Amino acid sequence: MSMPLRHCAPLPLRYYVPLALALIAAIIILFTPASGVPSGFTHSDKIIHFTLFFALAYTSRVAAVSASRTVLWTTTFAIASEILQAVLPLGRSGSLLDAAFDVAGAAVGVLVATRIVPVHSAID
């Protein structure tokens, strides 16, 4: 016996714009060649990775992407971005620690969006 598919009307555009902007920022930040990346204090890149993926996960929930799908796509993006940084001719290197901070930021973003500061969306 199969379950009927729920048909949900699309959300207003204002729910998707923050995710689109966060994704554009992520692509720019993660794939800028090394020569264009400003240097910061020690481990500042870990703060950037955490914050960037927090924003991606939080805005994904605002856009009505379920928590499980948000964790799945942000984790996949984190791993893929580190692999691409290692293999593309950007002068950058992939880092397991960066990926760990990406995943931690995404997890906290989902937690905040779901439990601490519920967002207004069609989820739940």
Side-chain angles (χ1 to χ4, degrees), residues 10-98:
L11 293 173
L13 187 61
R14 72 176 182 265
Y15 289 100
Y16 301 105
V17 170
L19 176 57
L21 294 175
L23 191 53
I24 290 167
I27 291 167
I28 291 168
I29 290 167
L30 296 172
F31 299 110
T32 296
S35 60
V37 177
S39 61
F41 58 88
T42 305
H43 303 302
S44 61
D45 66 316
K46 306 306 180 240
I47 295 168
I48 292 167
H49 278 269
F50 182 92
T51 305
L52 185 59
F53 278 79
F54 175 95
L56 287 169
Y58 187 88
T59 58
S60 182
R61 293 291 291 144
V62 169
V65 179
S66 71
S68 60
R69 286 188 179 179
T70 295
V71 169
L72 178 64
W73 85 259
T74 55
T75 300
T76 302
F77 183 52
I79 294 166
S81 69
E82 292 305 318
I83 292 170
L84 289 171
Q85 285 179 0
V87 300
L88 291 176
L90 300 172
R92 298 179 70 154
S93 59
S95 165
L96 287 175
L97 191 56
D98 285 351

Side-chain angles (χ1 to χ4, degrees), residues 2-8:
S2 64
M3 299 283 293
L5 294 175
R6 275 186 359 192
H7 177 65
C8 297

